[in-house]
Amino acid sequence: MAKKFFPVKNLTSAGAFGLGAVALLAAGSVLANEFSGHVASQTRLFMQAPAHQKQQQNDASASANLEYYHDWDGGNQRIAFSGFSRYDNNDSERTHSDIRELYYWRAFAHFELYAGARQVFWGVTETVHLVDIVNQDDAIENIDGEDKLGQPMVSVLVERDWGTLEAFALLGFRERTFAGDKGRLRPQMQIDANNALYQSSAGQQHLDFALRWSQVFGDWDVGISHFDGTSRDPLFIATPSADQETTLTPFYAQIQQSGIDVQATLGDWALKLEAVSVKEKAAGRNTALVSGFEYTLFGIGNTDADLGLLMEYQFDDRSGIRRRNSQNDLALGMRYTLNDVEGTELLFSLSRDLDNSSRFYSLEASRRLNNYWTINAEARLFSNMDENDPGFDLRDDDYLELELRRYF
Amino acid sequence: MRLPNTKIFNTALLAVTIAGSLLLPAHAQSPQEKGLAIAVEADKRDLGFGDVTASMEMILRNQYGEEVKREMRNKTMEQDNDGDKSLIVFDNPRDVKGSAFLSFTHKNRSDDQWLYLPALKRVKRIASSNKSGPFMGSEFAFEDISSQEVEKYSYNYLRDETLDGREHFVIERDPVDAKSGYARQVAWIDKDEYRTWKVDFYDRKNELLKTLKVSGYNQYLNKYWRADSWLMTNHQTQKETVLNFSNYVFNNGFTDRDFNKNSLKRAK
């Protein structure tokens, strides 16, 4: 079982090297170091019969997340590791492992250096993450774009009065993960993930660069970023295959993407904006933005609970095969935080396509059972999906997900 | 995580008030002036502590006596002419392990607060108007545990009172911020060292809501008093929270770079 549970797949070479480094360092002097993590069992119940005959009705899976860090040199050096693994009873693609993080960090007098696989999040909005580009989506984990694959890199960070500047050399490309044959939440046509195409002749070895400046101006948090390299979002090319079944081949273009993210936190209001300008090689320049607010009512009805109301408008002028779900959509949400001992939280959102009235509902709930156990639920409904909407393939994939987690 | 009434004080308005009372000896000190003078003196006595780290254990007890525990670590750095900067890292419950909370307290405007969510590697700026909300599901509100600035209240000296064999000033503190969960607080401050031993909190309807009892004071660096235990009892729900501090360490040599979004992400 143990062997099956940790099928070592998707391990980057940087990761394998780093594991050895951890083993060596663990023998060294100890300043601070600690293991932590969780195991979880998850069930996803799909409410309709699948659109494709090979797809299974429901699915059960188990996952594990293990983290370790070790600090030394008076807190000026660190090795950190975070590994993830899932075993899924239906979808062999969803059975996967990844080194989320395995890096060496060192603080020098005037800058900080990171080397290894890391996860880096950029941005401020809730419903779409436009500027966040360093890490590839682990899309098979969740369609919300919040699970990411580890990205090998060398990066340098400087902090000055004028802000924080981070420069990244991104070494080696990570392909997006997709549901397999039997998995749900996938396009009708199967994705031929093993034969991905690249615009750059360097393929996965293309060296990508990214730069981000960020600063806090009183109530304003501002970031400006630029990325030059392989797009994390593939285009899909319909390819006829030998058995007459058309498959979709992921194509990763070369892009330059400039982005800005701004949040103004004014009293009970958080005003948010993310915008990107994307120039794809041998194609046009495009613009996308997401902007809105979250307004929080604290202590509603004389209780300890807070109710956050959020609204975000999404715009994206990419069309044709580049078209996004968020081309002209409005998302409304409610975040209900009980502030109780169990940390109970509910997040409900509704996104509506303003062009074709496709609707997407999402409900996330979590509650602590005790110091070590939590229960999480997630429900997602794809309603009235228009056949021109990129979400059309998910029209029969309404699901309820339940997860029980044990932290250690 | 400092005790009430321990903040550098230097706004012109308050200085004028004090100077006025010194320059005019014939002028009898009003209860407001005396209350303020006590708060200012308590604040002055904690001036110059620099920085401090401490481990925190929270025991939440419900009306049936059932307990749950929270564990976190705190570091605080004093700022010239402004409220403290502080960073709290959560260790327990385990699902929030690695989460961290950064706050810049301000004297005359709302605080700046950021939360680090380790699962998403995301730093979120959060609305700081959430003063009266419970901290980690405990009986402590955010405003109870954030750095206490002289400017955040108006004062009124009530009386002298002996408590546990110590002589105290009893003063009333009225929060300036309309978002405070309290109509007023009544604080017992000892006459020898100006330490806060007890605070009664009155809700917005001016009914007694909670009582804080502070115990186990120790002196550090021959000057600064820190307590080992805060006990908050909610009279309306019968719940209580014990907040135990341990491992106080001063003189860590922190700089502002230990209290920003970057160091928040790195906090373990």
Side-chain angles (χ1 to χ4, degrees):
Chain A
M1 178 65 195
K3 200 171 178 185
K4 200 174 180 187
F5 198 73
F6 290 97
V8 179
K9 197 166 127 187
N10 294 342
L11 294 187
T12 65
S13 54
F17 165 77
L19 264 183
V22 167
L24 284 175
L25 280 158
S29 70
V30 173
L31 179 77
N33 72 107
E34 191 175 36
F35 278 106
S36 61
H38 67 256
V39 291
S41 88
Q42 184 191 80
T43 310
R44 290 194 301 181
L45 306 166
F46 291 86
M47 298 161 202
Q48 292 113 305
H52 197 283
Q53 56 174 13
K54 282 187 190 167
Q55 291 178 304
Q56 303 288 307
Q57 185 63 31
N58 295 317
D59 107 327
S61 66
S63 66
N65 195 80
L66 179 66
E67 306 202 358
Y68 174 79
Y69 81 95
H70 172 92
D71 282 354
W72 74 100
D73 185 20
N76 285 317
Q77 298 192 61
R78 170 179 293 172
I79 286 277
F81 167 77
S82 170
F84 172 83
S85 223
R86 178 179 301 282
Y87 172 74
D88 188 286
N89 74 331
N90 280 336
D91 185 351
S92 59
E93 292 296 320
R94 203 160 184 258
T95 296
H96 72 302
S97 298
D98 182 48
I99 292 178
R100 299 294 199 224
E101 296 197 297
L102 179 45
Y103 63 80
Y104 166 70
W105 169 83
R106 180 163 184 178
F108 293 89
H110 300 291
F111 67 97
E112 295 170 23
L113 172 79
Y114 286 92
R118 274 179 83 200
Q119 295 200 324
V120 174
F121 179 86
W122 296 347
V124 293
T125 53
E126 300 299 319
T127 57
V128 184
H129 304 298
L130 288 175
V131 301
D132 186 36
I133 195 169
V134 171
N135 293 88
Q136 178 62 272
D137 286 3
D138 193 358
I140 204 167
E141 274 300 302
N142 201 310
I143 55 170
D144 64 8
E146 292 184 345
D147 291 274
K148 298 288 184 180
L149 298 171
Q151 171 65 50
M153 68 176 77
V154 175
S155 72
V156 173
L157 182 149
V158 293
E159 288 179 300
R160 297 287 185 274
D161 292 341
W162 43 259
T164 301
L165 190 68
E166 263 191 290
F168 302 84
L170 305 170
L171 315 165
F173 181 75
R174 303 294 312 275
E175 292 179 346
R176 183 167 291 184
T177 57
F178 300 104
D181 244 8
K182 297 178 177 175
R184 301 293 290 258
L185 298 158
R186 68 165 175 85
Q188 292 285 291
M189 284 183 263
Q190 217 180 300
I191 294 174
D192 186 12
N194 295 329
N195 293 299
L197 300 172
Y198 292 85
Q199 189 169 28
S200 163
S201 57
Q204 281 186 281
Q205 270 63 57
H206 188 273
L207 184 60
D208 300 344
F209 292 99
L211 194 65
R212 177 178 162 87
W213 167 84
S214 59
Q215 176 70 304
V216 178
F217 300 99
D219 295 330
W220 296 72
D221 290 55
V222 179
I224 295 175
S225 53
H226 186 75
F227 171 86
D228 187 338
T230 310
S231 174
R232 274 44 187 154
D233 298 312
L235 303 175
F236 294 102
I237 297 168
T239 314
S241 67
D243 57 358
Q244 300 303 311
E245 221 180 311
T246 306
T247 59
L248 294 172
T249 306
F251 173 78
Y252 293 97
Q254 287 294 303
I255 60 162
Q256 292 194 338
Q257 173 171 309
S258 306
I260 180 165
D261 56 273
V262 181
Q263 180 175 329
T265 312
L266 308 167
D268 302 337
W269 294 84
L271 309 178
K272 301 174 176 190
L273 167 76
E274 286 189 30
V276 292
S277 174
V278 190
K279 172 72 180 79
E280 187 184 309
K281 192 178 170 187
R285 181 171 283 278
N286 286 98
T287 307
L289 73 81
V290 51
S291 184
F293 65 82
E294 180 157 356
Y295 173 72
T296 310
L297 296 148
F298 293 109
I300 50 159
N302 246 341
T303 66
D304 289 335
D306 301 332
L307 183 67
L309 305 172
L310 55 111
M311 188 179 101
E312 287 182 1
Y313 171 70
Q314 309 160 356
F315 170 80
D316 200 315
D317 69 3
R318 280 172 274 205
S319 59
I321 58 165
R322 295 176 181 82
R323 179 176 159 159
R324 302 299 176 100
N325 278 326
S326 52
Q327 94 290 359
N328 181 25
D329 291 49
L330 187 68
L332 300 171
M334 272 194 312
R335 188 195 307 276
Y336 185 49
T337 311
L338 267 70
N339 290 317
D340 54 356
V341 172
E342 293 82 15
T344 312
E345 281 189 17
L346 289 166
L347 175 63
F348 171 77
S349 69
L350 153 67
S351 300
R352 189 178 192 280
D353 192 303
L354 300 178
D355 289 336
N356 61 34
S357 69
S358 298
R359 286 188 285 269
F360 169 62
Y361 301 88
S362 167
L363 177 70
E364 295 172 25
S366 62
R367 186 178 168 87
R368 184 179 300 131
L369 299 175
N370 62 30
N371 273 0
Y372 295 98
W373 291 85
T374 63
I375 186 158
N376 308 295
E378 188 175 285
R380 295 208 157 123
L381 304 178
F382 308 88
S383 166
N384 201 27
M385 296 312 276
D386 187 274
E387 71 183 299
N388 296 314
D389 197 278
F392 182 68
D393 283 329
L394 307 179
R395 67 192 179 281
D396 293 324
D397 285 341
D398 296 347
Y399 70 92
L400 170 68
E401 177 186 296
L402 294 169
E403 186 177 79
L404 190 64
R405 278 191 185 185
R406 169 63 157 91
Y407 289 83
F408 52 85
Chain B
M1 221 46 31
R2 303 170 46 212
L3 284 176
N5 304 328
T6 53
K7 199 51 226 170
I8 179 169
F9 158 69
N10 64 353
T11 65
L13 177 67
L14 294 175
V16 167
T17 314
I18 308 297
S21 58
L22 291 172
L23 289 169
L24 299 167
H27 166 71
Q29 206 178 20
S30 73
Q32 288 77 19
E33 286 164 350
K34 188 168 181 186
L36 174 63
I38 292 164
V40 167
E41 178 60 24
D43 189 64
K44 219 170 87 186
R45 292 193 180 210
D46 202 56
L47 204 65
F49 75 94
D51 63 41
V52 61
T53 60
S55 301
M56 297 158 69
E57 176 198 54
M58 233 182 210
I59 300 163
L60 282 56
R61 221 172 269 144
N62 68 13
Q63 58 271 48
Y64 313 108
E66 294 163 344
E67 290 185 354
V68 290
K69 250 184 215 172
R70 305 273 181 264
E71 283 167 47
M72 56 223 111
R73 287 161 288 139
N74 171 249
K75 53 182 177 183
T76 299
M77 188 173 83
E78 196 175 22
Q79 298 288 300
D80 293 338
N81 306 326
D82 203 352
D84 298 338
K85 292 184 176 180
S86 76
L87 200 155
I88 299 174
V89 181
F90 299 94
D91 291 321
N92 209 308
R94 298 299 281 183
D95 59 293
V96 295
K97 168 149 184 66
S99 303
F101 175 71
L102 173 67
S103 72
F104 296 174
T105 324
H106 298 299
K107 288 169 182 289
N108 298 314
R109 59 186 178 94
S110 56
D111 300 346
D112 302 330
Q113 298 178 343
W114 294 265
L115 191 62
Y116 176 63
L117 306 167
L120 305 176
K121 311 289 172 212
R122 179 173 181 178
V123 172
K124 258 181 127 166
R125 178 79 172 258
I126 54 174
S128 64
S129 45
N130 181 22
K131 288 190 181 314
S132 58
F135 179 77
M136 297 289 286
S138 76
E139 296 312 309
F140 287 92
F142 277 87
E143 63 185 311
D144 302 339
I145 57 161
S146 72
S147 152
Q148 302 288 313
E149 310 300 325
V150 171
E151 291 84 346
K152 291 194 167 180
Y153 304 95
S154 62
Y155 299 87
N156 196 3
Y157 164 76
L158 297 179
R159 60 184 182 273
D160 286 359
E161 194 175 299
T162 306
L163 188 74
D164 301 329
R166 281 181 311 270
E167 290 294 306
H168 296 81
F169 301 113
V170 183
I171 63 168
E172 185 181 291
R173 308 192 291 223
D174 298 346
V176 172
D177 192 327
K179 299 247 177 188
S180 169
Y182 310 119
R184 62 193 177 98
Q185 302 173 3
V186 176
W188 279 255
I189 295 167
D190 79 73
K191 290 184 170 183
D192 289 338
E193 300 286 350
Y194 285 78
R195 296 162 300 192
T196 301
W197 291 87
K198 181 181 168 186
V199 184
D200 279 339
F201 297 86
Y202 291 83
D203 66 16
R204 287 184 187 132
K205 291 177 223 144
N206 207 12
E207 281 164 18
L208 181 61
L209 174 64
K210 301 188 292 191
T211 296
L212 172 69
K213 283 186 177 155
V214 184
S215 59
Y217 271 107
N218 291 300
Q219 197 173 24
Y220 298 86
L221 309 179
N222 293 318
K223 182 169 182 193
Y224 307 106
W225 292 94
R226 292 291 182 276
D228 288 341
S229 186
W230 295 14
L231 168 65
M232 185 72 94
T233 306
N234 188 318
H235 304 293
Q236 297 180 3
T237 63
Q238 315 307 319
K239 293 182 195 173
E240 58 183 30
T241 299
V242 184
L243 179 53
N244 293 318
F245 294 88
S246 56
N247 306 321
Y248 280 111
V249 177
F250 288 79
N251 290 329
N252 299 280
F254 292 141
T255 67
D256 283 340
R257 285 187 56 182
D258 294 299
F259 298 87
N260 62 21
K261 285 162 82 177
N262 182 38
S263 52
L264 180 64
K265 266 184 250 184
R266 249 191 5 248
K268 287 278 190 190

